Amino acid sequence: MYGGVLQAGYEMIRLTIPSIEEDDLQAAREALSSGFLVQGTRVAEFEKSIASYVGVKHVIAVSNCTAALHLALLGLDVYVGDLVLVTTYSWIATANVIELCGAQPVFVDIKPDTFNMNPERLEDTLKRLMSTAETARRVKAILPVHTFGQMANMTAIMKVANQYNIPVIEDAACALGAKWEERQAGTWGVMGCFSFHPRKAITTGEGGALITNNDQLARKVRALRNHGQDPGALLPDFIMPGYNYRITEFQAAFGSSQMKKLDRIIMARRKLAHQYDSLLENDPVIAPFVPSESLPVYQSYVTLLPEAAAPQRAKIIRELKEQGVETNIGTWHMPLTTYFRTRYGYRQGDFPVTDRVFDCTFTLPLHEFLTESEQESVVEKFTQSVQALT
């Protein structure tokens, strides 16, 4: 198996292995050999390839998706005292960037089946916030996440957002190539943000991108990415304080090479996910639910443990690793992490669906090089461990 790790006489079935091939390495070599390493033609080419794939006017490639999310919020003038509605269940960067703007996240519980922001809870929260002028003026954005590469219900979320005229930023870190009602992830809101971390379908090591069809926002974000430099000036000029959130030329060259195989990788992940679905069909473990409107990319294959087995999740992860299978939890219950719990006083029970989901999610290995026999071995060992505890 490509990327296998020898441990105790057998190969580890890895949680993920990036799809890196010789053409990717050659693209990076050529960029490094050129001596032009920062913010040049290869970055522009990478941005163009993403724009063509997704179908948007502007792509701004950056150092990582956290940077993209940060710039998106700053692009909407999210500052101290503002409020941003955000899902409860995501990698911590989604909430961190709100705090880093000096704003406050207002968490919205998720749906129990897709693990994405619940549009009904979003509407309830917005009704409450918009009922008084003091809080209404502070609401600046809605930040849903397309969890594990499956899109949130953007039809319903956009309906609520448009009702109150609140802009939407999509955290599509895991979802490049995913669709909802045949429309690409990242294209529903005013901006969308992607990640190219090694656990995503394609990678640049670290890296990210912000997409938008708004000319004014694109110009502002390009300036913020590069020390505040005017992106349209013939001679360098600085029009605002900015950051160094640039991606390198060799990362961009690598990314352009990866983009050429994105559809192949997504199709492989979908095939493997469907195979897992079949293997788990009569199992107490619950396979991922996919609404009819959704076409996910399966950044991860995340199941739900039976509640009786959930308290032993760490033990199951440890036992499977000892048997040569790398697994993990899903992602994080952000309001109950130490920082947000301490700062805002969140407790168990404030977000009951996320409480249950966070305790029960369990991620199985998924990557393009995974074989059918390896999947069968994963499921056999996994179900044996679960059944022994239920």
mmCIF file with all atom_site columns, all heavy atoms in Angstrom, residues 358-375:
data_model
loop_
_atom_site.group_PDB
_atom_site.id
_atom_site.type_symbol
_atom_site.label_atom_id
_atom_site.label_alt_id
_atom_site.label_comp_id
_atom_site.label_asym_id
_atom_site.label_entity_id
_atom_site.label_seq_id
_atom_site.pdbx_PDB_ins_code
_atom_site.Cartn_x
_atom_site.Cartn_y
_atom_site.Cartn_z
_atom_site.occupancy
_atom_site.B_iso_or_equiv
_atom_site.pdbx_formal_charge
_atom_site.auth_seq_id
_atom_site.auth_comp_id
_atom_site.auth_asym_id
_atom_site.auth_atom_id
_atom_site.pdbx_PDB_model_num
ATOM 1   N N   . PHE A 1 358 ? -20.792 14.958 19.151 1.00 0.00 ? 358 PHE A N   1
ATOM 2   C CA  . PHE A 1 358 ? -19.380 15.016 19.521 1.00 0.00 ? 358 PHE A CA  1
ATOM 3   C C   . PHE A 1 358 ? -18.940 13.756 20.266 1.00 0.00 ? 358 PHE A C   1
ATOM 4   O O   . PHE A 1 358 ? -17.834 13.249 20.059 1.00 0.00 ? 358 PHE A O   1
ATOM 5   C CB  . PHE A 1 358 ? -19.103 16.249 20.385 1.00 0.00 ? 358 PHE A CB  1
ATOM 6   C CG  . PHE A 1 358 ? -17.690 16.323 20.888 1.00 0.00 ? 358 PHE A CG  1
ATOM 7   C CD1 . PHE A 1 358 ? -16.638 16.517 19.999 1.00 0.00 ? 358 PHE A CD1 1
ATOM 8   C CD2 . PHE A 1 358 ? -17.406 16.179 22.235 1.00 0.00 ? 358 PHE A CD2 1
ATOM 9   C CE1 . PHE A 1 358 ? -15.319 16.572 20.457 1.00 0.00 ? 358 PHE A CE1 1
ATOM 10  C CE2 . PHE A 1 358 ? -16.097 16.236 22.698 1.00 0.00 ? 358 PHE A CE2 1
ATOM 11  C CZ  . PHE A 1 358 ? -15.052 16.434 21.802 1.00 0.00 ? 358 PHE A CZ  1
ATOM 12  N N   . ASP A 1 359 ? -19.797 13.232 21.105 1.00 0.00 ? 359 ASP A N   1
ATOM 13  C CA  . ASP A 1 359 ? -19.459 12.033 21.879 1.00 0.00 ? 359 ASP A CA  1
ATOM 14  C C   . ASP A 1 359 ? -19.389 10.774 21.021 1.00 0.00 ? 359 ASP A C   1
ATOM 15  O O   . ASP A 1 359 ? -18.688 9.819  21.377 1.00 0.00 ? 359 ASP A O   1
ATOM 16  C CB  . ASP A 1 359 ? -20.478 11.815 22.996 1.00 0.00 ? 359 ASP A CB  1
ATOM 17  C CG  . ASP A 1 359 ? -20.347 12.822 24.129 1.00 0.00 ? 359 ASP A CG  1
ATOM 18  O OD1 . ASP A 1 359 ? -19.285 13.473 24.222 1.00 0.00 ? 359 ASP A OD1 1
ATOM 19  O OD2 . ASP A 1 359 ? -21.313 12.970 24.901 1.00 0.00 ? 359 ASP A OD2 1
ATOM 20  N N   . CYS A 1 360 ? -20.122 10.753 19.904 1.00 0.00 ? 360 CYS A N   1
ATOM 21  C CA  . CYS A 1 360 ? -20.328 9.500  19.161 1.00 0.00 ? 360 CYS A CA  1
ATOM 22  C C   . CYS A 1 360 ? -19.621 9.418  17.811 1.00 0.00 ? 360 CYS A C   1
ATOM 23  O O   . CYS A 1 360 ? -19.523 8.324  17.248 1.00 0.00 ? 360 CYS A O   1
ATOM 24  C CB  . CYS A 1 360 ? -21.822 9.263  18.940 1.00 0.00 ? 360 CYS A CB  1
ATOM 25  S SG  . CYS A 1 360 ? -22.765 8.972  20.458 1.00 0.00 ? 360 CYS A SG  1
ATOM 26  N N   . THR A 1 361 ? -19.145 10.532 17.261 1.00 0.00 ? 361 THR A N   1
ATOM 27  C CA  . THR A 1 361 ? -18.547 10.466 15.921 1.00 0.00 ? 361 THR A CA  1
ATOM 28  C C   . THR A 1 361 ? -17.225 9.707  15.942 1.00 0.00 ? 361 THR A C   1
ATOM 29  O O   . THR A 1 361 ? -16.439 9.816  16.869 1.00 0.00 ? 361 THR A O   1
ATOM 30  C CB  . THR A 1 361 ? -18.332 11.870 15.344 1.00 0.00 ? 361 THR A CB  1
ATOM 31  O OG1 . THR A 1 361 ? -17.779 12.727 16.340 1.00 0.00 ? 361 THR A OG1 1
ATOM 32  C CG2 . THR A 1 361 ? -19.631 12.439 14.820 1.00 0.00 ? 361 THR A CG2 1
ATOM 33  N N   . PHE A 1 362 ? -17.009 8.968  14.853 1.00 0.00 ? 362 PHE A N   1
ATOM 34  C CA  . PHE A 1 362 ? -15.836 8.094  14.752 1.00 0.00 ? 362 PHE A CA  1
ATOM 35  C C   . PHE A 1 362 ? -15.414 8.031  13.291 1.00 0.00 ? 362 PHE A C   1
ATOM 36  O O   . PHE A 1 362 ? -16.200 7.648  12.419 1.00 0.00 ? 362 PHE A O   1
ATOM 37  C CB  . PHE A 1 362 ? -16.175 6.697  15.272 1.00 0.00 ? 362 PHE A CB  1
ATOM 38  C CG  . PHE A 1 362 ? -14.979 5.860  15.605 1.00 0.00 ? 362 PHE A CG  1
ATOM 39  C CD1 . PHE A 1 362 ? -14.519 5.786  16.909 1.00 0.00 ? 362 PHE A CD1 1
ATOM 40  C CD2 . PHE A 1 362 ? -14.306 5.158  14.619 1.00 0.00 ? 362 PHE A CD2 1
ATOM 41  C CE1 . PHE A 1 362 ? -13.413 5.008  17.228 1.00 0.00 ? 362 PHE A CE1 1
ATOM 42  C CE2 . PHE A 1 362 ? -13.206 4.379  14.928 1.00 0.00 ? 362 PHE A CE2 1
ATOM 43  C CZ  . PHE A 1 362 ? -12.749 4.308  16.244 1.00 0.00 ? 362 PHE A CZ  1
ATOM 44  N N   . THR A 1 363 ? -14.161 8.408  13.014 1.00 0.00 ? 363 THR A N   1
ATOM 45  C CA  . THR A 1 363 ? -13.666 8.524  11.645 1.00 0.00 ? 363 THR A CA  1
ATOM 46  C C   . THR A 1 363 ? -12.863 7.305  11.236 1.00 0.00 ? 363 THR A C   1
ATOM 47  O O   . THR A 1 363 ? -11.909 6.917  11.926 1.00 0.00 ? 363 THR A O   1
ATOM 48  C CB  . THR A 1 363 ? -12.800 9.786  11.500 1.00 0.00 ? 363 THR A CB  1
ATOM 49  O OG1 . THR A 1 363 ? -13.551 10.919 11.931 1.00 0.00 ? 363 THR A OG1 1
ATOM 50  C CG2 . THR A 1 363 ? -12.379 9.988  10.053 1.00 0.00 ? 363 THR A CG2 1
ATOM 51  N N   . LEU A 1 364 ? -13.226 6.726  10.096 1.00 0.00 ? 364 LEU A N   1
ATOM 52  C CA  . LEU A 1 364 ? -12.526 5.566  9.544  1.00 0.00 ? 364 LEU A CA  1
ATOM 53  C C   . LEU A 1 364 ? -11.541 5.999  8.461  1.00 0.00 ? 364 LEU A C   1
ATOM 54  O O   . LEU A 1 364 ? -11.691 7.075  7.872  1.00 0.00 ? 364 LEU A O   1
ATOM 55  C CB  . LEU A 1 364 ? -13.537 4.575  8.952  1.00 0.00 ? 364 LEU A CB  1
ATOM 56  C CG  . LEU A 1 364 ? -14.594 4.019  9.904  1.00 0.00 ? 364 LEU A CG  1
ATOM 57  C CD1 . LEU A 1 364 ? -15.456 2.995  9.178  1.00 0.00 ? 364 LEU A CD1 1
ATOM 58  C CD2 . LEU A 1 364 ? -13.964 3.414  11.154 1.00 0.00 ? 364 LEU A CD2 1
ATOM 59  N N   . PRO A 1 365 ? -10.536 5.183  8.171  1.00 0.00 ? 365 PRO A N   1
ATOM 60  C CA  . PRO A 1 365 ? -9.575  5.540  7.128  1.00 0.00 ? 365 PRO A CA  1
ATOM 61  C C   . PRO A 1 365 ? -10.259 5.767  5.780  1.00 0.00 ? 365 PRO A C   1
ATOM 62  O O   . PRO A 1 365 ? -11.167 5.019  5.394  1.00 0.00 ? 365 PRO A O   1
ATOM 63  C CB  . PRO A 1 365 ? -8.653  4.314  7.056  1.00 0.00 ? 365 PRO A CB  1
ATOM 64  C CG  . PRO A 1 365 ? -8.747  3.702  8.412  1.00 0.00 ? 365 PRO A CG  1
ATOM 65  C CD  . PRO A 1 365 ? -10.172 3.913  8.842  1.00 0.00 ? 365 PRO A CD  1
ATOM 66  N N   . LEU A 1 366 ? -9.804  6.791  5.063  1.00 0.00 ? 366 LEU A N   1
ATOM 67  C CA  . LEU A 1 366 ? -10.333 7.071  3.727  1.00 0.00 ? 366 LEU A CA  1
ATOM 68  C C   . LEU A 1 366 ? -9.304  7.870  2.938  1.00 0.00 ? 366 LEU A C   1
ATOM 69  O O   . LEU A 1 366 ? -8.920  8.971  3.341  1.00 0.00 ? 366 LEU A O   1
ATOM 70  C CB  . LEU A 1 366 ? -11.647 7.847  3.800  1.00 0.00 ? 366 LEU A CB  1
ATOM 71  C CG  . LEU A 1 366 ? -12.327 8.077  2.442  1.00 0.00 ? 366 LEU A CG  1
ATOM 72  C CD1 . LEU A 1 366 ? -12.887 6.769  1.889  1.00 0.00 ? 366 LEU A CD1 1
ATOM 73  C CD2 . LEU A 1 366 ? -13.433 9.110  2.546  1.00 0.00 ? 366 LEU A CD2 1
ATOM 74  N N   . HIS A 1 367 ? -8.851  7.293  1.845  1.00 0.00 ? 367 HIS A N   1
ATOM 75  C CA  . HIS A 1 367 ? -7.946  7.981  0.918  1.00 0.00 ? 367 HIS A CA  1
ATOM 76  C C   . HIS A 1 367 ? -7.937  7.181  -0.379 1.00 0.00 ? 367 HIS A C   1
ATOM 77  O O   . HIS A 1 367 ? -8.405  6.036  -0.444 1.00 0.00 ? 367 HIS A O   1
ATOM 78  C CB  . HIS A 1 367 ? -6.536  8.113  1.502  1.00 0.00 ? 367 HIS A CB  1
ATOM 79  C CG  . HIS A 1 367 ? -5.940  6.821  1.962  1.00 0.00 ? 367 HIS A CG  1
ATOM 80  N ND1 . HIS A 1 367 ? -5.350  5.923  1.105  1.00 0.00 ? 367 HIS A ND1 1
ATOM 81  C CD2 . HIS A 1 367 ? -5.857  6.262  3.208  1.00 0.00 ? 367 HIS A CD2 1
ATOM 82  C CE1 . HIS A 1 367 ? -4.911  4.876  1.787  1.00 0.00 ? 367 HIS A CE1 1
ATOM 83  N NE2 . HIS A 1 367 ? -5.215  5.045  3.069  1.00 0.00 ? 367 HIS A NE2 1
ATOM 84  N N   . GLU A 1 368 ? -7.399  7.788  -1.413 1.00 0.00 ? 368 GLU A N   1
ATOM 85  C CA  . GLU A 1 368 ? -7.490  7.207  -2.757 1.00 0.00 ? 368 GLU A CA  1
ATOM 86  C C   . GLU A 1 368 ? -6.824  5.846  -2.879 1.00 0.00 ? 368 GLU A C   1
ATOM 87  O O   . GLU A 1 368 ? -7.226  5.023  -3.705 1.00 0.00 ? 368 GLU A O   1
ATOM 88  C CB  . GLU A 1 368 ? -6.869  8.180  -3.765 1.00 0.00 ? 368 GLU A CB  1
ATOM 89  C CG  . GLU A 1 368 ? -7.071  7.771  -5.208 1.00 0.00 ? 368 GLU A CG  1
ATOM 90  C CD  . GLU A 1 368 ? -6.406  8.713  -6.185 1.00 0.00 ? 368 GLU A CD  1
ATOM 91  O OE1 . GLU A 1 368 ? -5.541  9.516  -5.761 1.00 0.00 ? 368 GLU A OE1 1
ATOM 92  O OE2 . GLU A 1 368 ? -6.724  8.646  -7.393 1.00 0.00 ? 368 GLU A OE2 1
ATOM 93  N N   . PHE A 1 369 ? -5.823  5.574  -2.050 1.00 0.00 ? 369 PHE A N   1
ATOM 94  C CA  . PHE A 1 369 ? -5.052  4.344  -2.178 1.00 0.00 ? 369 PHE A CA  1
ATOM 95  C C   . PHE A 1 369 ? -5.608  3.189  -1.332 1.00 0.00 ? 369 PHE A C   1
ATOM 96  O O   . PHE A 1 369 ? -5.062  2.097  -1.334 1.00 0.00 ? 369 PHE A O   1
ATOM 97  C CB  . PHE A 1 369 ? -3.592  4.603  -1.797 1.00 0.00 ? 369 PHE A CB  1
ATOM 98  C CG  . PHE A 1 369 ? -2.983  5.721  -2.587 1.00 0.00 ? 369 PHE A CG  1
ATOM 99  C CD1 . PHE A 1 369 ? -2.757  6.954  -1.996 1.00 0.00 ? 369 PHE A CD1 1
ATOM 100 C CD2 . PHE A 1 369 ? -2.649  5.555  -3.919 1.00 0.00 ? 369 PHE A CD2 1
ATOM 101 C CE1 . PHE A 1 369 ? -2.197  7.994  -2.720 1.00 0.00 ? 369 PHE A CE1 1
ATOM 102 C CE2 . PHE A 1 369 ? -2.097  6.589  -4.652 1.00 0.00 ? 369 PHE A CE2 1
ATOM 103 C CZ  . PHE A 1 369 ? -1.870  7.814  -4.052 1.00 0.00 ? 369 PHE A CZ  1
ATOM 104 N N   . LEU A 1 370 ? -6.688  3.438  -0.605 1.00 0.00 ? 370 LEU A N   1
ATOM 105 C CA  . LEU A 1 370 ? -7.293  2.402  0.232  1.00 0.00 ? 370 LEU A CA  1
ATOM 106 C C   . LEU A 1 370 ? -7.882  1.303  -0.651 1.00 0.00 ? 370 LEU A C   1
ATOM 107 O O   . LEU A 1 370 ? -8.586  1.592  -1.625 1.00 0.00 ? 370 LEU A O   1
ATOM 108 C CB  . LEU A 1 370 ? -8.386  3.031  1.098  1.00 0.00 ? 370 LEU A CB  1
ATOM 109 C CG  . LEU A 1 370 ? -8.962  2.219  2.245  1.00 0.00 ? 370 LEU A CG  1
ATOM 110 C CD1 . LEU A 1 370 ? -7.913  1.976  3.322  1.00 0.00 ? 370 LEU A CD1 1
ATOM 111 C CD2 . LEU A 1 370 ? -10.168 2.948  2.838  1.00 0.00 ? 370 LEU A CD2 1
ATOM 112 N N   . THR A 1 371 ? -7.620  0.049  -0.306 1.00 0.00 ? 371 THR A N   1
ATOM 113 C CA  . THR A 1 371 ? -8.135  -1.061 -1.102 1.00 0.00 ? 371 THR A CA  1
ATOM 114 C C   . THR A 1 371 ? -9.410  -1.619 -0.479 1.00 0.00 ? 371 THR A C   1
ATOM 115 O O   . THR A 1 371 ? -9.704  -1.390 0.700  1.00 0.00 ? 371 THR A O   1
ATOM 116 C CB  . THR A 1 371 ? -7.099  -2.191 -1.200 1.00 0.00 ? 371 THR A CB  1
ATOM 117 O OG1 . THR A 1 371 ? -6.908  -2.768 0.100  1.00 0.00 ? 371 THR A OG1 1
ATOM 118 C CG2 . THR A 1 371 ? -5.772  -1.666 -1.731 1.00 0.00 ? 371 THR A CG2 1
ATOM 119 N N   . GLU A 1 372 ? -10.143 -2.374 -1.279 1.00 0.00 ? 372 GLU A N   1
ATOM 120 C CA  . GLU A 1 372 ? -11.380 -2.978 -0.790 1.00 0.00 ? 372 GLU A CA  1
ATOM 121 C C   . GLU A 1 372 ? -11.103 -3.956 0.342  1.00 0.00 ? 372 GLU A C   1
ATOM 122 O O   . GLU A 1 372 ? -11.852 -4.005 1.329  1.00 0.00 ? 372 GLU A O   1
ATOM 123 C CB  . GLU A 1 372 ? -12.099 -3.686 -1.944 1.00 0.00 ? 372 GLU A CB  1
ATOM 124 C CG  . GLU A 1 372 ? -13.461 -4.225 -1.571 1.00 0.00 ? 372 GLU A CG  1
ATOM 125 C CD  . GLU A 1 372 ? -14.225 -4.751 -2.777 1.00 0.00 ? 372 GLU A CD  1
ATOM 126 O OE1 . GLU A 1 372 ? -14.041 -4.221 -3.886 1.00 0.00 ? 372 GLU A OE1 1
ATOM 127 O OE2 . GLU A 1 372 ? -15.017 -5.706 -2.595 1.00 0.00 ? 372 GLU A OE2 1
ATOM 128 N N   . SER A 1 373 ? -10.031 -4.722 0.219  1.00 0.00 ? 373 SER A N   1
ATOM 129 C CA  . SER A 1 373 ? -9.695  -5.683 1.289  1.00 0.00 ? 373 SER A CA  1
ATOM 130 C C   . SER A 1 373 ? -9.319  -4.948 2.572  1.00 0.00 ? 373 SER A C   1
ATOM 131 O O   . SER A 1 373 ? -9.630  -5.425 3.679  1.00 0.00 ? 373 SER A O   1
ATOM 132 C CB  . SER A 1 373 ? -8.560  -6.602 0.840  1.00 0.00 ? 373 SER A CB  1
ATOM 133 O OG  . SER A 1 373 ? -7.383  -5.867 0.589  1.00 0.00 ? 373 SER A OG  1
ATOM 134 N N   . GLU A 1 374 ? -8.652  -3.814 2.454  1.00 0.00 ? 374 GLU A N   1
ATOM 135 C CA  . GLU A 1 374 ? -8.325  -3.026 3.634  1.00 0.00 ? 374 GLU A CA  1
ATOM 136 C C   . GLU A 1 374 ? -9.588  -2.482 4.291  1.00 0.00 ? 374 GLU A C   1
ATOM 137 O O   . GLU A 1 374 ? -9.705  -2.459 5.522  1.00 0.00 ? 374 GLU A O   1
ATOM 138 C CB  . GLU A 1 374 ? -7.380  -1.881 3.274  1.00 0.00 ? 374 GLU A CB  1
ATOM 139 C CG  . GLU A 1 374 ? -5.953  -2.339 2.995  1.00 0.00 ? 374 GLU A CG  1
ATOM 140 C CD  . GLU A 1 374 ? -5.067  -1.223 2.489  1.00 0.00 ? 374 GLU A CD  1
ATOM 141 O OE1 . GLU A 1 374 ? -5.572  -0.296 1.830  1.00 0.00 ? 374 GLU A OE1 1
ATOM 142 O OE2 . GLU A 1 374 ? -3.846  -1.280 2.745  1.00 0.00 ? 374 GLU A OE2 1
ATOM 143 N N   . GLN A 1 375 ? -10.539 -2.045 3.464  1.00 0.00 ? 375 GLN A N   1
ATOM 144 C CA  . GLN A 1 375 ? -11.805 -1.580 4.031  1.00 0.00 ? 375 GLN A CA  1
ATOM 145 C C   . GLN A 1 375 ? -12.517 -2.700 4.784  1.00 0.00 ? 375 GLN A C   1
ATOM 146 O O   . GLN A 1 375 ? -13.070 -2.473 5.867  1.00 0.00 ? 375 GLN A O   1
ATOM 147 C CB  . GLN A 1 375 ? -12.718 -1.053 2.916  1.00 0.00 ? 375 GLN A CB  1
ATOM 148 C CG  . GLN A 1 375 ? -12.324 0.302  2.376  1.00 0.00 ? 375 GLN A CG  1
ATOM 149 C CD  . GLN A 1 375 ? -13.376 0.831  1.428  1.00 0.00 ? 375 GLN A CD  1
ATOM 150 O OE1 . GLN A 1 375 ? -13.461 0.403  0.272  1.00 0.00 ? 375 GLN A OE1 1
ATOM 151 N NE2 . GLN A 1 375 ? -14.200 1.747  1.902  1.00 0.00 ? 375 GLN A NE2 1
#
